[in-house]
Amino acid sequence: MINRRDFLRLTGTGALSMLAGGPFAGGRSAWASEEQAFQPDVELSLRAAPTEAAILPGAPSQVWSFRGDLIKGPAGALQPMPASYLGPTIRVRRGQKVRIHFINDLPQESIVHWHGLHVPAEMDGHPRDVIETGQRFTYEFEVRNRAGTYWYHPHPHAKTGLQVYAGLAGMFIVDDAAEDRLDLPRGEHDLSLVIQDRLFNPDNQLVYLTHHMDRMTGFVGERILVNGRAAFRQAVAGRPYRLRLLNGSNARIYRLAWSDGRPLTVIGSDGGLLEKPLSMDTVMLGPAERVELWVDFGRWGKNQEAVLVSKFIDLAAVSALPGMGRMGPRRGMMGTGVMPNGAPHTLARFQVTSREGRGAELPERLSPREAFESPPPDDDRPVRRFEFAMNHMRGTINNRIFEMAGVAEEETVALNTSEIWEFVNRGGMPPLPHPIHVHGLQFKVLGRLGAPFGDVLDQGWKDTVLLMPGERVRLQMRFTDYPGLFLYHCHNLEHEDMGMMRNYYVRA
Ligand code: C2O
Ligand code: CU
Ligand code: CU
């Protein structure tokens, strides 16, 4: 007996999937028939439009912002970021099916990407899928990632930097049963902090790309905003909290620390919880990377302030790495503002207002070892090597720049295989840091050569790795479920917009 759904699967989607390798791979016509079978658990709309936000005292700032509306699903699936230009936090559970209608009311083309999520290529927000002003793009996917802190932002080619800078970004948090079983702080004790830097003119308006070097170095602002707010302060109780930190900046790198020198308790990275908590004095956080901290504010006294800072990063010193040549970035080249990239900053102040109860202890084990198992590379597969370098002031990947649909043979992999990828920051002129991100999957960092600051967080599942000039990392990659065209690129958004981005193709 063949019912109607099976019939569609055999004739429509199924037949196409034999050609293209999966139920989601057949393009729009196949999608149309699959649509009837897709029953979302959560459905919402995200509208991107110009608006204004009160960021600094005085005049409001013109921004671009995502507005969300929940159409179906539990109320917690869409949570506004209070008093902020940032988009609402989308919060779903692993296994849920999600439908999101993106409506573009910006004066230019756009498309939304779900950073860190493992979704079909057609749902990933590739720049070739941009929609024009007034149009709508409907995403449908199942949440297959483990619990963790992901995010979303626009991805139109050559305009991502501007659109994110103008205010378009939001958190995408996934919960799952494995995490539920742990006694981690929840609800109001589970805080997201999106760290971004911005430059304002005297009328409180955002300023972007002021100097001809800004594109080459990546744009850095003078003022740090957390969750879209200047001089971020938060009242907290004297008890444990979970802090989810996202570096949502275009190009600025942070070196996180508590101002009083006590170590950070790290519990998670890009792709969710680590196996065990880690104690680190500082953590480097490149653009797009996430880190989760556990902190017991009870260890500060009542009415005391816990201050999260970013410590000085001597980016000029990394050019002295062996083999890099003597020409490094002069300090003035690391961003042209008065606060160059690597400058120290205060990020957030937490005021301990009460000595409320103790809250649960930090669990000794956060995830089972099996959660990090990844099949070893198939033995006939050589290490695939990618060189990131500045060439005539423009970022390149193996000497290439972005082509909308272009993909080289060395960028083609096979579905259901494992490989080792090696990323090398070759430096070039000038040698700059590059935070490299891969779409469509989470990888594991097998090893790193370099790490001049010694405080990188390579543990757990990752989708973005920060590479200083001369550094090299080896990653374990696994291509599952979804064939098609995915991106990998530098997440310094000015580098990305100038073409330091390429496709890789997963062949079915
Ligand atoms: Cu966060 Cu290709 O991006
Ligand atoms: Cu991404
Ligand atoms: Cu770069």
Side-chain angles (χ1 to χ4, degrees), residues 289 423 434-436 443 445 448 458 464-467 473 475:
E289 287 188 293
F423 287 169
H434 299 294
I436 308 301
F443 52 73
V445 180
R448 181 186 285 262
D458 284 336
T464 308
V465 275
L466 179 61
L467 286 177
V473 290
L475 312 174

Side-chain angles (χ1 to χ4, degrees), residues 140-435:
E140 289 178 340
F141 55 84
E142 182 186 317
V143 178
R144 296 198 178 175
N145 286 65
R146 63 197 291 256
T149 306
Y150 309 94
W151 64 300
Y152 63 94
H153 60 78
H155 220 301
H157 183 47
K159 301 185 183 79
T160 297
L162 170 70
Q163 294 192 5
V164 172
Y165 188 78
L168 295 168
M171 293 295 243
F172 196 115
I173 294 177
V174 176
D175 296 310
D176 68 12
E179 238 194 55
D180 290 349
R181 285 193 289 270
L182 291 172
D183 216 348
L184 289 172
R186 293 167 214 275
E188 58 175 327
H189 306 120
D190 173 357
L191 301 176
S192 293
L193 302 180
V194 181
I195 308 168
Q196 298 177 307
D197 58 335
R198 293 292 183 268
L199 182 61
F200 293 89
N201 72 11
D203 301 322
N204 286 353
Q205 298 313 308
L206 287 169
V207 176
Y208 182 55
L209 297 178
T210 52
H211 190 280
H212 69 282
M213 298 292 250
D214 282 349
R215 279 180 195 277
M216 184 196 67
T217 54
F219 186 79
V220 294
E222 293 179 8
R223 206 182 260 276
I224 304 298
L225 306 183
V226 171
N227 296 350
R229 285 141 67 188
F232 182 87
R233 271 162 205 281
Q234 168 92 39
V236 293
R239 53 152 290 150
Y241 277 71
R242 177 180 188 169
L243 303 182
R244 304 170 186 261
L245 272 52
L246 158 67
N247 181 352
S249 309
N250 282 33
R252 189 178 282 284
I253 301 165
Y254 303 95
R255 188 181 184 193
L256 306 169
W258 292 116
S259 65
D260 60 5
R262 74 183 77 199
L264 300 160
T265 303
V266 177
I267 58 169
S269 58
D270 295 346
L273 294 177
L274 308 180
E275 193 180 331
K276 291 175 183 161
L278 269 180
S279 176
M280 295 173 79
D281 290 332
T282 63
V283 173
M284 292 282 271
L285 200 65
E289 287 188 293
R290 285 87 70 207
V291 60
E292 293 197 36
L293 305 178
W294 184 93
V295 54
D296 183 358
F297 288 119
R299 305 230 174 120
W300 280 264
K302 190 178 172 204
N303 297 325
Q304 277 196 309
E305 219 176 39
V307 184
L308 187 70
V309 298
S310 181
K311 296 182 93 160
F312 176 59
I313 309 165
D314 191 355
L315 290 172
V318 297
S319 62
L321 283 174
M324 288 317 295
R326 55 190 177 75
M327 280 295 290
R330 279 171 292 119
R331 213 147 285 181
M333 292 177 77
M334 300 307 300
T336 52
V338 297
M339 289 296 181
N341 208 342
H345 279 281
T346 295
L347 306 178
R349 296 174 180 275
F350 301 92
Q351 291 149 320
V352 183
T353 55
S354 71
R355 280 228 48 109
E356 170 197 315
R358 283 167 304 279
E361 299 280 302
L362 173 64
E364 258 170 60
R365 181 164 280 278
L366 299 164
S367 324
R369 177 152 305 153
E370 307 83 71
F372 302 96
E373 266 162 21
S374 184
D378 305 278
D379 20 86
D380 55 327
R381 284 172 207 274
V383 172
R384 218 178 270 264
R385 189 182 160 98
F386 299 88
E387 296 194 355
F388 299 83
M390 296 303 287
N391 262 316
H392 305 287
M393 311 211 344
R394 186 175 199 182
T396 56
I397 302 175
N398 284 350
N399 290 315
R400 297 186 180 93
I401 58 167
F402 184 60
E403 303 161 87
M404 192 57 85
V407 61
E409 180 54 38
E410 70 201 56
E411 295 169 315
T412 302
V413 301
L415 187 64
N416 295 322
T417 58
S418 295
E419 294 193 354
I420 294 175
W421 282 20
E422 183 172 84
F423 287 169
V424 186
N425 182 341
R426 267 257 149 262
M429 263 313 288
L432 294 173
H434 299 294

Side-chain angles (χ1 to χ4, degrees), residues 113-116 124-125 151-155 160 288 437-439 463-464 487-491 493 496 501:
H113 167 59
W114 319 102
H115 182 122
D124 192 49
W151 64 300
Y152 63 94
H153 60 78
H155 220 301
T160 297
H437 168 53
V438 184
H439 281 224
D463 55 55
T464 308
L487 298 164
Y488 67 105
H489 60 87
C490 180
H491 219 290
L493 296 181
E496 171 184 339
M501 171 158 79

